[in-house]
Amino acid sequence: MSAAATFFVEGWKRYNTDVAWRLGLLDTGSHEEGMRLAYLLQSLRSSSAHNSYSSKPEPVVIPIWQRLPRILASGVTVIFFLCLILAAVIGTIIYRIVLMQVLYRVDSMRPFAAIFTSVTTAILNLIVILIMSYFYSYLALKLTDWEYPRTQSEFERSYTVKVFLFQFINYYSSIFYVAFFKGNFSGLPGRRVLGLRPEDCDSAGCMVELVILLATIMFGKTAYNSAMEFFNPVILTIFRGFSLNVPEARSHRIEQFRRQKRKEMYSKVETVRRWEWDYALTPTYDQF
């Protein structure tokens, strides 16, 4: 299905290009992408060149030796947070090992130790994923702005690389561990690492734990997005109205004024002019 869709889209692009060329509507001129506003402002602040007529500073290209420390610092920050995600995965592994050993010492919990440990570890992993994803999306945007990319395309490429690397490791590191690496480090019986015995898969394999982890991440992420989409406006409205005492937006004030005028017109129908009825019926601020 995906291959058929790809062939269809590429064929449609080819057909559109051919028709545009036959009708003389194909613009073959070169288009140079303009500079981003943040890059332009930084260029003006660091520029020593001035216009000979207006004596105003002129933008110049920011040299690479000025941008290189920012790019290196941004890369080091990205690597640090990637290592932080791996550290969080190692922390969940240690939590799983310790909890499994504790539950196996309780006779009543021994039959449910594996399932309980897998479920709680998956939920903990989901919480870490959501927190890190929310934080890093904001951080990646700030780091990309801090690098001062020259064009919007450079900005989008840099931001996409950061977010892709982080989200890939954030979402799939624990899944890759359970699917490919868990049970390969158990070794001989009695072998311990830092006083803990490396965890091993069940005799039937790690498929059950992998399914639990995948289901928790997939459905948990969907439920979180749905909850945020529903409750976020409600929470913001409550904070705006009661806690923060933020003034209402202009559109809300206009809507309240329109409702008040409509009530007044209903009370005196005979004396209301036509244009007042039209203003009350049609929200003109939404048309521009």
Side-chain angles (χ1 to χ4, degrees), residues 87-105:
V89 174
I90 295 175
T92 57
I93 294 173
I94 296 175
Y95 165 79
R96 184 188 293 115
I97 295 173
V98 173
L99 183 62
M100 183 72 73
Q101 293 182 2
V102 171
L103 292 179
Y104 264 104
R105 295 175 182 175

Side-chain angles (χ1 to χ4, degrees), residues 88 91-93 95-96 117-131 213 216:
T92 57
I93 294 173
Y95 165 79
R96 184 188 293 115
T117 304
S118 300
V119 172
T120 54
T121 305
I123 295 175
L124 180 63
N125 194 13
L126 175 64
I127 294 174
V128 173
I129 286 174
L130 294 178
I131 294 175
L213 184 60
T216 304

Side-chain angles (χ1 to χ4, degrees), residues 36-72:
R36 296 182 69 247
L37 181 59
Y39 182 90
L40 181 61
L41 294 177
Q42 178 64 19
S43 175
L44 290 174
R45 284 194 293 264
S46 60
S47 174
S48 59
H50 291 76
N51 192 296
S52 58
Y53 295 98
S54 61
S55 299
K56 294 182 179 180
E58 291 187 347
V60 295
V61 177
I62 301 177
I64 188 62
W65 58 268
Q66 290 185 3
R67 296 178 55 196
L68 187 60
R70 295 174 178 267
I71 296 175
L72 292 178

Side-chain angles (χ1 to χ4, degrees), residues 2-285:
S2 59
T6 303
F7 282 122
F8 174 78
V9 171
E10 295 300 327
W12 183 256
K13 290 180 182 179
R14 184 182 180 89
Y15 174 75
N16 285 342
T17 305
D18 182 67
V19 172
W21 180 77
R22 291 177 183 274
L23 297 177
L25 301 176
L26 186 62
D27 189 5
T28 58
S30 61
H31 297 277
E32 183 178 358
E33 190 175 3
M35 292 186 296
R36 296 182 69 247
L37 181 59
Y39 182 90
L40 181 61
L41 294 177
Q42 178 64 19
S43 175
L44 290 174
R45 284 194 293 264
S46 60
S47 174
S48 59
H50 291 76
N51 192 296
S52 58
Y53 295 98
S54 61
S55 299
K56 294 182 179 180
E58 291 187 347
V60 295
V61 177
I62 301 177
I64 188 62
W65 58 268
Q66 290 185 3
R67 296 178 55 196
L68 187 60
R70 295 174 178 267
I71 296 175
L72 292 178
S74 177
V76 171
T77 306
V78 171
I79 294 175
F80 169 76
F81 277 94
L82 294 181
C83 295
L84 186 62
I85 297 173
L86 297 179
V89 174
I90 295 175
T92 57
I93 294 173
I94 296 175
Y95 165 79
R96 184 188 293 115
I97 295 173
V98 173
L99 183 62
M100 183 72 73
Q101 293 182 2
V102 171
L103 292 179
Y104 264 104
R105 295 175 182 175
V106 181
D107 295 335
S108 59
M109 293 296 297
R110 186 173 299 174
F112 312 101
I115 298 297
F116 182 80
T117 304
S118 300
V119 172
T120 54
T121 305
I123 295 175
L124 180 63
N125 194 13
L126 175 64
I127 294 174
V128 173
I129 286 174
L130 294 178
I131 294 175
M132 296 297 291
S133 178
Y134 178 80
F135 174 74
Y136 192 79
S137 297
Y138 175 79
L139 180 64
L141 183 62
K142 292 300 181 181
L143 287 177
T144 310
D145 274 331
W146 191 55
E147 294 175 1
Y148 290 121
R150 184 174 180 272
T151 61
Q152 185 65 25
S153 299
E154 294 180 6
F155 175 86
E156 292 176 355
R157 284 195 295 267
S158 178
Y159 179 72
T160 302
V161 169
K162 292 182 181 63
V163 174
F164 174 78
L165 287 176
F166 182 82
Q167 297 290 8
F168 181 80
I169 297 180
N170 190 27
Y171 278 93
Y172 297 107
S173 56
S174 58
I175 297 175
F176 269 72
Y177 167 75
V178 175
F180 300 107
F181 299 105
K182 183 180 179 181
N184 296 332
F185 307 103
S186 58
L188 299 176
R191 180 184 178 184
R192 293 181 177 271
V193 178
L194 299 178
L196 299 174
R197 183 181 182 277
E199 60 178 350
D200 198 358
C201 291
D202 190 71
S203 57
C206 295
M207 183 58 66
V208 176
E209 184 176 353
L210 182 61
V211 170
I212 293 174
L213 184 60
L214 282 171
T216 304
I217 292 177
M218 294 175 61
F219 290 105
K221 178 65 174 177
T222 305
Y224 171 78
N225 291 335
S226 301
M228 290 300 296
E229 184 177 356
F230 178 78
F231 289 108
N232 193 31
V234 177
I235 295 174
L236 291 179
T237 303
I238 293 175
F239 274 116
R240 175 178 294 171
F242 298 99
S243 300
L244 300 180
N245 197 17
V246 177
E248 293 181 331
R250 179 174 177 270
S251 59
H252 293 171
R253 294 197 302 269
I254 294 176
E255 186 64 28
Q256 289 183 359
F257 176 74
R258 180 174 290 106
R259 291 178 181 176
Q260 182 180 359
K261 296 294 291 184
R262 190 180 294 118
K263 290 181 180 179
E264 294 177 359
M265 287 187 295
Y266 286 153
S267 61
K268 45 182 181 180
V269 180
E270 295 81 5
T271 60
V272 176
R273 300 176 183 178
R274 182 73 261 172
W275 66 269
E276 292 182 350
W277 279 105
D278 295 338
Y279 177 78
L281 291 175
T282 305
T284 55
Y285 65 90

